[in-house]
Structures are given as structure tokens and as C-alpha cells.
Amino acid sequence: MIGKTIERDNNKYHIIGMTLFDEAKLYIIEPYIELENLKRKGIRNQRRILKEHEKNECCYLHCSDFYLGSKRLQVQGGTGGCLAYSLDDYGTVQLFFNMMNSGWEVPEWLRDEDWNNLQLITLNIANIKRLPKYSSEMPITIIHRPNPIRYIIEKTITLNVGKSRSFYFTDRYGDRVQCHINHVSLIDVWKDTEKQLSDPKLAKKFSPEQIQQAKKYSYDALEQTCPKGMCYIGIEYECSKDLNLVFYSKQYLTSRPEVHRGSSSFLLMRLKPDKETGIHNLPLKGCVIQTPVSSDTIKIPAELFLYFEKSNEWTETV
């Protein structure tokens, strides 16, 4: 057992300990905050769904390594969930009983906490054949590799096919960020998919039956998401800060979710520019708006809806 409480930014986290059955697992209790917008009534259009995607963050779910003293524990994924939903889960309840039977002492601050305000993080630890030894004097070092920071902008912008434009937006720090849209194009996704699936290199890796099945799956999915004769919108842009911008059409943001059949899931498309640097000597990046439009479309009412900012790796020692 570890039984270590960490206090940071007015929050408390508790490393319970580890188990080893088929694989080693490390258990951590964290604060859980249910966002109010998930409880709101009303029409759930795509804009609202995208905003609701700002789910409760799991702090330790994004760790890559734990060190108990000099012993490295390499994290290979994990799961997290509110403890309130585990009251009827025999496995979770039994886990706590097993931990207490093995010597875990519930810290005083945790005894009166509401399970609605807590979540259990379960981390999968790689290549462990026996549980490492631990004593309270051992330092614990944790390597955090957090997900990119997501920040909603909702800036209205009209895109013109074949034309460029520049504009500014304010980032989460209050800084003025300049964006240059160098090119807006229509992407014939059917043509691109047919070209990819006709690549002679595929015949060297897959059987004719496998290629035929891949074609059927791809075309069925395309028929539901972008019917033949329609196109997606490609955007090449430069930004004065190292941010990944995400654009959506107004049409998509005001629409409601559609129910697709069968093979409706289709890979998220990315646009990779041919050059690394644009005409403004800034990194050249791409974004695809996966809203089908007719091949003669000229103007697209859209929004710079959000951006992603890289998060730096950081080390915590407790």
C-alpha cells in the first residue's frame, strides 16, 4: 500500500496503492466536478455538444511515469470515473475492502467526502511481475504529460473558396493573435479516397478480398457523411502563436446530431500542407471542415470555434 495524499492548488489527491493480478494497476482518488452545462435542458445542437466536451479533467490519467524511489512504473493507459457511479459496482467496492485489509488507512479528510465529488483513476502499469516495495520515506516522482489545452473562441468568419484573408482573435491569455488564411479549397473526398484505395502498394500488403471490403466500408461511410458530388472544405493557415485552430461551418454548429447506420464512423480528416512554412514565414498548418457542400460553393459562413495549445511535460515530486 502507498496511502499518500498530495495537496496542490487547493485540491487533494490520494494515491491508494497497487494491485497485481493479470496486470499491475495503480489507484488514485481525485476531485470530481460535474459541469453544470451537462444538466441544462433544451435543444442539444452541435455547438452545445462541442462545449459539453469540456469534461472534468483527470489530472493523473495523463501521467506517463511514476517513480517509487528509483523504481520506474511505466503507465500504459488508464481509466477514470466518478465514484458516485460505483456504489453499485461490486468490483470497486471490493477493491476498497481489499486495500483496507492489506493495510490501507483511509485519510481523515477522505472519510467525510461525498463520493459525488470524487473520481477513481486506474492506471495500467507495464512490465511488472511483482509489486515494488514502498515505504513512507520514499520520494514519489510523477511525470505529467497533459493533453493539449482546449480553448473556445467562437469567432465568426466568412471563408471564400480560392481566396486568402487575415484576422485577429484574442487567446486565453488576453493576447492578440494574428491568423492568416492562405487558401480555402474544396476537397473531393470521393476522388481522394478512390485514389488511395487504388494505390498499387495496397495490393502488396492486402488480398483482393480485403481491399474490396475496405472499399465497401469506406464508400458506405462516405455515402452517409459526404454524398457523392459533395465536397469538404480545406483551410491552410498560419498563426502568430503555435496553436492548432479548429474551424466549423455555421451550418454544422446549428445542426442537431444525426443517427447514422452501420459503418457511419469515418476517420477524422486532416489537411497536411505541402510546405512547412507559409508566405508569412510562419508554420503552415491545415484544417478540414467536414461539412459537405456542393462543388460550386463559393462562400462558407463559418467560425474559428476553438484552438488547441500544446501542454508542456512537467515533473512532480511528493
Side-chain angles (χ1 to χ4, degrees):
M1 293 305 102
I2 297 175
K4 184 81 171 181
T5 294
I6 302 169
E7 295 190 35
R8 188 178 69 253
D9 299 330
N10 297 319
N11 287 317
K12 291 184 179 180
Y13 308 82
H14 186 77
I15 305 174
I16 304 172
M18 295 181 66
T19 60
L20 178 60
F21 295 105
D22 294 333
E23 62 178 337
K25 296 181 182 294
L26 177 66
Y27 302 93
I28 303 171
I29 292 176
E30 293 188 2
Y32 177 83
I33 301 173
E34 187 173 6
L35 299 181
E36 287 299 318
N37 61 2
L38 295 176
K39 299 179 180 179
R40 284 197 334 234
K41 295 181 180 179
I43 296 174
R44 295 182 74 248
N45 58 17
Q46 296 290 1
R47 181 187 300 278
R48 179 176 166 185
I49 291 170
L50 286 166
K51 287 185 174 182
E52 289 176 353
H53 187 69
E54 292 181 290
K55 295 180 180 177
N56 186 74
E57 281 295 319
C58 300
C59 178
Y60 288 94
L61 193 59
H62 308 305
C63 296
S64 60
D65 298 276
F66 272 73
Y67 287 86
L68 301 181
S70 60
K71 176 64 177 178
R72 181 192 181 198
L73 305 177
Q74 186 178 3
V75 178
Q76 281 194 331
T79 57
C82 179
L83 280 172
Y85 306 134
S86 302
L87 292 173
D88 297 324
D89 179 7
Y90 173 80
T92 301
V93 175
Q94 187 62 46
L95 170 68
F96 285 109
F97 279 126
N98 290 342
M99 289 291 184
M100 288 187 285
N101 289 335
S102 299
W104 177 54
E105 295 184 7
V106 182
E108 195 65 35
W109 68 269
L110 193 56
R111 293 179 186 275
D112 299 322
E113 277 287 337
D114 188 339
W115 276 32
N116 288 296
N117 301 326
L118 300 171
Q119 60 186 336
L120 179 67
I121 305 299
T122 303
L123 300 178
N124 304 321
I125 307 300
N127 304 320
I128 294 289
K129 295 183 178 179
R130 62 176 62 185
L131 292 178
K133 293 181 180 179
Y134 173 76
S135 66
S136 58
E137 295 80 22
M138 275 187 184
I140 300 176
T141 303
I142 306 161
I143 310 298
H144 291 262
R145 287 184 179 159
N147 284 338
I149 297 166
R150 180 177 181 269
Y151 188 74
I152 292 179
I153 297 291
E154 293 183 288
K155 182 177 179 65
T156 294
I157 180 170
T158 299
L159 302 173
N160 293 278
V161 175
K163 294 186 177 180
S164 61
R165 63 164 299 176
S166 298
F167 63 93
Y168 291 92
F169 64 90
T170 303
D171 68 6
R172 69 191 188 99
Y173 304 102
D175 296 339
R176 197 181 189 209
V177 180
Q178 186 167 32
C179 174
H180 305 285
I181 294 180
N182 293 348
H183 190 60
V184 178
S185 61
L186 297 181
I187 301 172
D188 187 338
V189 66
W190 279 84
K191 182 178 178 181
D192 289 354
T193 301
E194 288 169 356
K195 182 178 179 181
Q196 291 171 9
L197 293 174
S198 300
D199 190 334
K201 294 179 181 178
L202 291 179
K204 298 179 181 179
K205 297 181 179 180
F206 304 101
S207 67
E209 292 78 14
Q210 288 175 317
I211 294 175
Q212 194 60 38
Q213 187 166 356
K215 286 183 178 181
K216 183 180 184 308
Y217 176 86
S218 298
Y219 296 151
D220 285 350
L222 270 179
E223 193 60 52
Q224 296 179 60
T225 56
C226 186
K228 202 160 191 176
M230 304 289 277
C231 299
Y232 284 154
I233 303 126
I235 305 167
E236 289 189 0
Y237 67 89
E238 298 173 67
C239 191
S240 60
K241 280 195 174 184
D242 187 14
L243 305 173
N244 290 316
L245 310 184
V246 181
F247 296 84
Y248 287 101
S249 70
K250 289 280 191 182
Q251 175 189 341
Y252 175 79
L253 292 171
T254 56
S255 69
R256 298 172 72 172
E258 295 181 8
V259 177
H260 295 290
R261 66 185 187 277
S263 58
S264 61
S265 58
F266 199 69
L267 292 177
L268 179 66
M269 289 187 63
R270 293 184 180 180
L271 179 65
K272 185 177 175 62
D274 295 331
K275 300 178 181 178
E276 292 187 3
T277 304
I279 57 176
H280 300 90
N281 295 316
L282 296 167
L284 186 59
K285 300 182 181 182
C287 174
V288 176
I289 297 180
Q290 290 185 219
T291 299
V293 296
S294 61
S295 58
D296 59 353
T297 296
I298 297 174
K299 288 189 175 182
I300 305 107
E303 285 185 21
L304 167 56
F305 189 77
L306 58 85
Y307 69 72
F308 287 100
E309 176 187 348
K310 292 179 182 177
S311 296
N312 295 324
E313 176 184 301
W314 61 283
T315 300
E316 177 182 29
T317 301
V318 294

